[in-house]
Amino acid sequence: MGIVGAGPAGLTLGNLLREAGIPCVVLEKGTREYIETRPRAGVLEHRAVQMLTEHGLADRLLQEADRHGACEFRVNGEAYEVDYATLYDGQTHYIYPQQEVVQDLVRHYVDERGGDVRWGVTDVQLHGIESSEPALTWTNADGTRERLDCSFIAGADGFHGVTRQSIPAGAVQEFSHQHGIEWLSVLAEAPPSTHKVIYALHPDGFAGHMLRSSTVSRYYLQVPVDDTVDNWPDERVWSELHKRLALRDSDWKLTEGRIVEKRILDMRSHVVEPMNHGTLYLLGDAAHIITPVGAKGMNLALHDAEVLADAVTRYHRTGDETGLRSYSEVCLRRVWRAQEFSQWMVFMIHRSPEPFLSRLGQARLEHLIASGSSAGYFAQNYVGP
Ligand code: PHB
């Protein structure tokens, strides 16, 4: 198998295939250091951790990750906690930054299982994906051109990667939606000011306080569409976070720290159907983009890797193609479930330019807080399913 991209999806697939004794090569355009330090998501679901554990990939995660079973919504200066673990079988989230997941996956794949990764490759090309003998060609970091003939190609090279773009026009359907919202995403060397993820609704827009480690925290601010990072000097970021996260009649305080990253995130959803074409199988962001709301992206990528590894292993052992044929359908069921939930949350926690819609969102949140069945829906989708 040729795997393009050494992110959570590609590396998990590589590990599972090595475990099953199936030869594979991973191509990655970045260096090992680059992918091991690039900050991204930070939340793993119970199910994803269970899968990593079953395959011996969760050793450090289980020791170091914090487990979270409750989150907090703030609205009109009041805090409301939702104890989603109690509402859903005791299942929790694990707070473990994506770059730590990647470090562990690389260590297992390369250092312990002797897996092959080509770092710093360029000009990756796919050949014969509509045949049973596809191939990958690429230029290595030392300038040599190389070719891999394989049975399958896994496209795990992200939204802008070459693999999805190699599918002929019209062969797959693409569903795209811009949610009309943007976030300023901020990473700071600041200890968390909370033990739970905080979602705050404020007349000026959403603010979030998310968790990474005892020394680093992630914050989000809803900003107007087409806003730029230049409009957000550090002092403005902190004053806006203080204002939107404020609690009435409380001595809660936000601790500041050095801001190390600021980015504008487009709230976009994108799904490719089906997730395969010929002998090319797409995984993770190459096949589907989801908004960060609900923290589903990395979890979906790991699920794709698990389903594809199972399918390829079954085919390799017995020639049975059932899993390969149902790969896209099985993954897309979870993808669309997550898209629907993320959209439900996006609507609930943001201020819309249309005041009527903002009030509907607030009504949704009030119902979540007041109604056991709404809280049950939230819990099942947030930490599961
Ligand atoms: C995050 O940790 O970045 C995060 C957590 C929960 C969300 C969104 C983002 O809903």
Side-chain angles (χ1 to χ4, degrees), residues 10-76:
L11 289 167
T12 300
L13 178 63
N15 270 293
L16 269 48
L17 295 182
R18 290 248 4 130
E19 186 187 35
I22 297 168
C24 54
V25 177
V26 179
L27 306 181
E28 167 56 43
K29 68 178 174 7
T31 61
R32 178 166 177 175
E33 197 207 342
Y34 172 76
I35 64 150
E36 287 190 345
T37 52
R38 198 170 70 131
R40 281 290 181 272
V43 181
L44 286 168
E45 289 164 4
H46 172 87
R47 208 191 154 284
V49 171
Q50 213 174 19
M51 183 275 287
L52 293 170
T53 306
E54 278 163 19
H55 295 283
L57 300 170
D59 46 357
R60 191 164 69 96
L61 186 166
L62 290 173
Q63 278 171 20
E64 294 183 10
D66 273 340
R67 295 180 65 168
H68 284 256
C71 63
E72 186 178 312
F73 291 94
R74 293 187 176 181
V75 56
N76 296 331

Side-chain angles (χ1 to χ4, degrees), residues 138-382:
W138 68 92
T139 304
N140 284 308
D142 66 4
T144 54
R145 192 89 190 139
E146 206 170 339
R147 177 184 174 99
L148 175 76
D149 291 292
C150 44
S151 307
F152 305 104
I153 294 174
D157 52 348
F159 187 58
H160 300 289
V162 66
T163 58
R164 186 182 70 255
Q165 291 163 21
S166 305
I167 299 177
V172 290
Q173 201 176 354
E174 308 210 14
F175 297 85
S176 205
H177 181 64
Q178 214 293 347
H179 295 260
I181 285 158
E182 277 176 14
W183 276 5
L184 178 72
S185 163
V186 177
L187 193 67
E189 286 170 349
S193 307
T194 174
H195 298 295
K196 306 174 227 62
V197 164
I198 301 173
Y199 299 95
L201 278 77
H202 187 274
D204 294 341
F206 165 77
H209 182 340
M210 278 59 186
L211 302 151
R212 285 299 178 271
S213 72
S214 59
T215 54
V216 173
S217 301
R218 172 77 79 188
Y219 313 90
Y220 298 112
L221 284 167
Q222 179 184 357
V223 297
V225 170
D226 294 331
D227 208 348
T228 61
V229 168
D230 294 342
N231 285 335
W232 288 91
D234 294 1
E235 313 77 65
R236 184 175 177 213
V237 169
W238 289 118
S239 86
E240 207 64 22
L241 283 170
H242 282 294
K243 180 178 71 186
R244 297 191 197 178
L245 290 166
L247 283 182
R248 238 185 300 137
D249 306 325
S250 156
D251 51 13
W252 181 83
K253 264 198 22 233
L254 177 68
T255 308
E256 297 184 9
R258 190 171 76 90
I259 293 181
V260 292
E261 190 200 73
K262 268 185 270 184
R263 292 196 301 141
I264 298 277
L265 303 183
D266 202 9
M267 288 287 144
R268 175 174 293 285
S269 293
H270 192 98
V271 180
V272 177
E273 279 199 28
M275 284 171 54
N276 63 306
H277 179 71
T279 37
L280 167 65
Y281 292 81
L282 300 176
L283 298 85
D285 285 1
H288 41 76
I289 293 287
I290 188 164
T291 80
V293 182
K296 295 286 174 192
M298 178 165 51
N299 295 288
L300 290 174
L302 295 179
H303 180 251
D304 295 346
E306 179 189 14
V307 176
L308 187 57
D310 268 359
V312 172
T313 303
R314 179 137 45 120
Y315 174 75
H316 186 75
R317 292 199 177 135
T318 65
D320 177 357
E321 291 183 6
T322 328
L324 290 168
R325 277 202 222 103
S326 62
Y327 167 73
S328 174
E329 194 190 322
V330 170
C331 293
L332 284 172
R333 207 172 300 133
R334 179 169 289 264
V335 166
W336 280 113
R337 183 76 236 104
Q339 293 283 5
E340 190 279 326
F341 175 66
S342 184
Q343 212 268 350
W344 183 89
M345 264 193 97
V346 165
F347 186 79
M348 179 173 72
I349 63 175
H350 289 96
R351 188 170 164 75
S352 162
E354 232 186 283
F356 179 78
L357 296 182
S358 289
R359 292 294 287 112
L360 284 188
Q362 192 176 328
R364 182 174 288 181
L365 179 62
E366 284 165 6
H367 190 236
L368 166 67
I369 291 161
S371 144
S373 63
S374 181
Y377 164 85
F378 171 76
Q380 180 193 17
N381 287 279
Y382 191 56

